């Protein structure tokens, strides 16, 4: 019997956490499938359905090593993400996926990993960060350089505080605040300030497109080669399975061939992202 590939699996929201309040609100949702589910890889996404409202593609921010739930951290943007923000514990949603390729973390064993994220861009990074942290003996030094516009805009605040005892964490905000003791400036500037060594290191940078561009430039400036830099492309998506053509960059279907690209791969493609 053929199954309908667009049919989502039902899942229950088991926790809702407000990360950031205000107009650009961000919430983290944990979900459990009602009946069966799927396993994912770091960097993959899922299409979340809010019945009667629509679907949105969202990065799975939990590690594949965590089997109890799938986690999503979501910025309130428009129709669907606003409906997601209205969900409560016990709400039922649809989830289809997992979609896309993944960060090739198996081939990074023995290497240092530098994570450079901005704003909600910590969500796709978080899955890799948690996985490599759980398997720390397989990897070298893990370093996070993360920034947000203001201190209240920082996501995963408690988790980041806890992370500081486990790996190097360098935070930044764009403009000075009286109580802020860490770096003031953009994430790319913090990279240039901290100058992490490119030696045997992979860098992952995720966030708003302008942040990704400036971070890649900064990483190149301090000696990272194009094939040492990875990012994700978040072109708008509809089907998620390479049928509608909504997400294309040239002949690439980002929903299937991406969203994870090395800078060496991405710079060969048309600048449609
Ligand atoms: C691979 C992938 C992974 C993603 N992961 C996450 C994630 O982990 N967390 C998260 O909060 N968001 C993520 N997004 C973005 C998310 O899919 C969109 O914000 C969401 O679909 C918007 O839907 P909406 O109905 O709320 O907004 P709409 O009502 O459709 O649009 C509201 C506004 O948002 C803009 N917009 C919609 N989609 C995008 C997009 N993809 N890029 C830029 N602008 C957009 C529209 O142009 C419009 O201005 C991801 C997108 C992709 C493609
Ligand atoms: S979202 Fe339809 S082809 Fe990629």
């Amino acid at each position: 019997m053929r199954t309908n590939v667009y049919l989502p699996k039902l899942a229950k929201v088991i926790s809702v956490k407000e990360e950031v309040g205000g107009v650009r609100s961000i919430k983290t949702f944990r979900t459990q499938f009602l009946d069966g589910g799927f396993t994912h890889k770091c960097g993959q996404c899922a299409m979340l359905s809010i019945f009667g409202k629509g679907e949105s593609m969202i990065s799975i921010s939990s590690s594949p090593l965590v089997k109890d739930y799938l986690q999503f951290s979501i910025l309130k943007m428009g129709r669907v993400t606003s409906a997601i923000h209205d969900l409560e514990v016990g709400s039922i949603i649809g989830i289809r996926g997992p979609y896309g390729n993944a960060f090739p973390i198996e081939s990074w064993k023995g290497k240092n990993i530098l994570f450079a994220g901005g704003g909600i861009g910590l969500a796709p990074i978080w899955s890799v960060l948690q996985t490599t942290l759980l398997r720390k003996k397989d990897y070298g030094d893990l370093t996070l350089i993360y920034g947000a516009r203001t201190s209240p805009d920082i996501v995963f605040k408690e988790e980041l505080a806890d992370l500081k005892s486990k790996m190097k964490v360098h935070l930044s905000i764009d403009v000075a605040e009286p109580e802020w003791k860490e770096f003031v400036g953009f994430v790319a500037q913090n990279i240039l300030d901290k100058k992490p060594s490119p030696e045997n290191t992979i860098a992952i940078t995720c966030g708003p497109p302008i942040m990704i561009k400036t971070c890649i430039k900064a990483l190149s400036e301090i000696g990272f080669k194009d094939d040492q830099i990875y990012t994700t492309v978040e072109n708008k998506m509809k089907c998620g399975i390479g049928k509608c053509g909504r997400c294309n960059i040239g002949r690439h279907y980002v929903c299937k061939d991406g969203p994870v690209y090395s800078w060496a791969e991405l710079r060969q493609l048309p600048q449609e992202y």
Side-chain angles (χ1 to χ4, degrees):
M1 193 182 75
R2 296 179 88 183
T3 50
N4 183 342
V5 289
Y6 293 105
L7 208 58
K9 294 174 189 298
L10 297 181
K12 184 162 78 171
V13 175
I14 59 162
S15 75
V16 180
K17 182 172 168 241
E18 183 171 281
E19 304 281 356
V20 175
V23 202
R24 289 178 61 80
S25 163
I26 298 176
K27 288 185 179 176
T28 294
F29 300 84
R30 288 183 178 173
T31 63
Q32 267 173 354
F33 288 108
L34 295 188
D35 189 15
F38 54 68
T39 51
H40 70 283
K41 296 180 188 149
C42 296
Q44 285 193 303
C45 311
M47 198 62 104
L48 304 195
S49 304
I50 305 301
F51 304 114
K53 300 287 182 187
E55 295 185 308
S56 271
M57 189 67 97
I58 304 292
S59 305
I60 304 171
S61 64
S62 47
S63 164
L65 300 177
V66 173
K67 304 291 179 200
D68 299 346
Y69 55 83
L70 279 188
Q71 178 175 295
F72 305 94
S73 294
I74 302 174
L75 170 67
K76 189 172 174 176
M77 285 288 282
R79 202 162 59 108
V80 178
T81 50
S82 297
I84 294 175
H85 271 237
D86 290 339
L87 295 172
E88 295 170 349
V89 170
S91 300
I92 302 296
I93 62 168
I95 303 180
R96 60 184 177 91
Y99 294 129
N101 61 356
F103 289 101
I105 61 168
E106 290 302 310
S107 66
W108 296 346
K109 284 184 177 170
K111 293 184 188 291
N112 308 314
I113 306 182
L114 169 70
F115 303 93
I120 187 66
L122 200 50
I125 285 178
W126 203 245
S127 159
V128 193
L129 191 151
Q130 292 299 318
T131 304
T132 48
L133 205 55
L134 285 166
R135 296 211 168 129
K136 206 160 184 291
K137 64 175 179 18
D138 290 340
Y139 297 91
D141 286 346
L142 303 178
T143 305
L144 171 65
I145 299 184
Y146 171 71
R149 295 177 198 203
T150 67
S151 58
D153 289 316
I154 290 175
V155 297
F156 305 154
K157 292 180 188 66
E158 295 87 24
E159 293 89 338
L160 288 174
D162 180 52
L163 216 54
K164 287 186 174 179
S165 62
K166 300 176 182 152
M167 60 186 277
K168 280 183 225 152
V169 177
H170 304 290
L171 302 181
S172 65
I173 53 173
D174 292 356
V175 183
E177 293 174 16
E179 301 298 315
W180 185 256
K181 302 270 185 304
E182 297 204 44
F183 190 80
V184 176
F186 299 127
V187 178
Q189 292 170 317
N190 206 6
I191 292 175
L192 293 175
D193 185 69
K194 302 300 173 308
K195 284 197 180 50
S197 168
E199 184 69 33
N200 193 36
T201 304
I202 293 293
I204 302 176
T205 179
C206 299
I210 182 68
M211 192 220 84
I212 292 178
K213 280 189 183 127
T214 54
C215 284
I216 291 175
K217 190 163 173 284
L219 290 164
S220 302
E221 256 176 70
I222 59 171
F224 280 80
K225 303 267 184 319
D226 293 351
D227 60 0
Q228 286 177 275
I229 305 172
Y230 282 77
T231 188
T232 55
V233 175
E234 296 195 350
N235 279 9
K236 287 181 188 174
M237 294 182 182
K238 210 161 180 66
C239 69
I241 54 171
K243 298 287 179 203
C244 72
R246 185 83 169 90
C247 65
N248 286 46
I249 305 179
R251 283 162 44 195
H252 265 235
Y253 290 94
V254 179
C255 63
K256 281 177 72 180
D257 305 321
V260 174
Y261 290 92
S262 73
W263 180 229
E265 294 165 323
L266 199 54
R267 64 179 308 174
Q268 304 297 325
L269 301 177
Q271 299 268 304
E272 295 162 1
Y273 49 88

